[in-house]
Amino acid sequence: MTELRMPKTFADEMVEHCIHGKPQEACGLLAARDGRVVQVFRMTNASASPVRYSLDPKEQFAVYEKIESEGWELGGVFHSHTHTEAYPSPTDVRMASEDVPYVIVSLAQEPPSIRAFRIVKQNWMDSEGSIEEIAVSIEG
Amino acid sequence: MAVQVRIPTVFRKFTDGNPSVELEPGTIADLVDQLEARYPGMREQLLTSEGQLHRFVNVYVNDEDARYLEKLDTKVADGDTVSLLPSVAGG
């Protein structure tokens, strides 16, 4: 995937969730069909931290079930950086586990910025990997 | 009937891109053995060197977290669905 297409309403919803989550990081999942976001899932940051996030496994499971039942695909994982740029931190790389775009919403400036990356690892448990930016196309 | 195992994106390079595979009933440990036999390399993705479920892998049997059942000894029957979920986290 070289581009993540996202209707503006979903981009706005994602940013709103991130702003609402301050001062903690916020996180969520994106469902997509053919590379186009069709739903934003606002998730609980189980880490409840300004510098870490983790999805609650039970919530994550429920969303995966929904995505499966709708015939969608997991379109991405998003989270906020409250004070740093929209670029994967070493922790983001170390913890990356899904082979989908990782979308980062930076609240460090106004307006917030949205960028997406694929984190490529030989093995998902590796602590290091390469970072490839994916274009985010906000539609409408 | 069989056990349907849902494969997350990160493991699909082992399953030829398949998002789910069908396996024979047994325990979760048996399913791991079947996955390894069919897709070499899967075991070490799911289990630690001590043979326990990797802490960053969540396994659901239908809608129950196997960690709160009998972990690798949890029995899985025909018609059950097993979902493998990598923990999603960062900073």
Side-chain angles (χ1 to χ4, degrees):
Chain A
M1 179 187 291
T2 56
E3 183 182 51
L4 179 66
R5 292 176 292 132
M6 186 181 307
K8 185 173 184 305
T9 50
F10 293 136
D12 290 346
E13 183 177 351
M14 193 172 59
V15 169
E16 182 186 304
H17 179 55
C18 291
I19 291 172
H20 188 257
K22 285 175 71 175
Q24 318 287 33
E25 287 195 4
C27 55
L29 294 170
L30 304 174
R33 185 186 291 132
D34 300 326
R36 185 172 189 268
V37 174
V38 293
Q39 189 155 334
V40 172
F41 293 94
R42 303 170 181 226
M43 311 289 282
T44 303
N45 178 0
S47 297
S49 161
V51 292
R52 294 280 186 275
Y53 79 94
S54 60
L55 298 190
D56 174 83
K58 194 84 180 170
E59 282 186 14
Q60 181 190 357
F61 174 72
V63 169
Y64 280 37
E65 287 289 289
K66 172 74 173 170
I67 288 173
E68 170 82 14
S69 67
E70 294 288 345
W72 297 332
E73 64 219 43
L74 179 62
V77 174
F78 74 90
H79 74 284
S80 61
H81 283 179
T82 57
H83 291 92
T84 56
E85 65 175 328
Y87 192 82
S89 66
T91 304
D92 289 330
V93 174
R94 190 173 72 250
M95 302 296 288
S97 59
E98 284 282 17
D99 188 14
V100 297
Y102 276 74
V103 179
I104 301 175
V105 177
S106 171
L107 304 176
Q109 68 286 306
E110 186 59 42
S113 65
I114 300 171
R115 295 170 72 187
F117 304 87
R118 188 162 168 262
I119 298 169
V120 182
K121 297 173 164 183
Q122 288 285 337
N123 187 309
W124 71 288
M125 288 175 281
D126 291 349
S127 58
E128 295 182 355
S130 61
I131 297 169
E132 298 174 359
E133 183 150 14
I134 295 169
V136 179
S137 173
I138 296 176
E139 304 169 336
Chain B
M1 292 286 276
V3 175
Q4 185 189 44
V5 180
R6 291 183 184 158
I7 308 293
T9 62
V10 70
F11 298 144
R12 290 181 195 168
K13 61 186 173 189
F14 292 93
T15 62
D16 304 322
N18 291 323
S20 72
V21 299
E22 292 195 344
L23 300 175
E24 295 299 316
T27 62
I28 291 176
D30 293 334
L31 299 186
V32 173
D33 287 343
Q34 292 178 58
L35 282 171
E36 175 67 19
R38 195 180 301 184
Y39 306 113
M42 276 294 286
R43 179 183 283 114
E44 71 171 356
Q45 302 295 313
L46 301 171
L47 304 184
T48 65
S49 54
E50 291 78 35
Q52 299 302 308
L53 271 175
H54 197 290
R55 62 188 285 252
F56 295 123
V57 177
N58 298 298
V59 179
Y60 278 77
V61 178
N62 299 321
D63 59 355
E64 294 291 326
D65 188 335
R67 260 179 245 283
Y68 301 110
L69 299 171
E70 294 175 64
K71 302 180 181 173
L72 286 170
D73 294 327
T74 304
K75 290 186 173 55
V76 185
D78 266 333
D80 284 344
T81 298
V82 173
S83 301
L84 307 177
L85 276 78
S87 66
V88 172

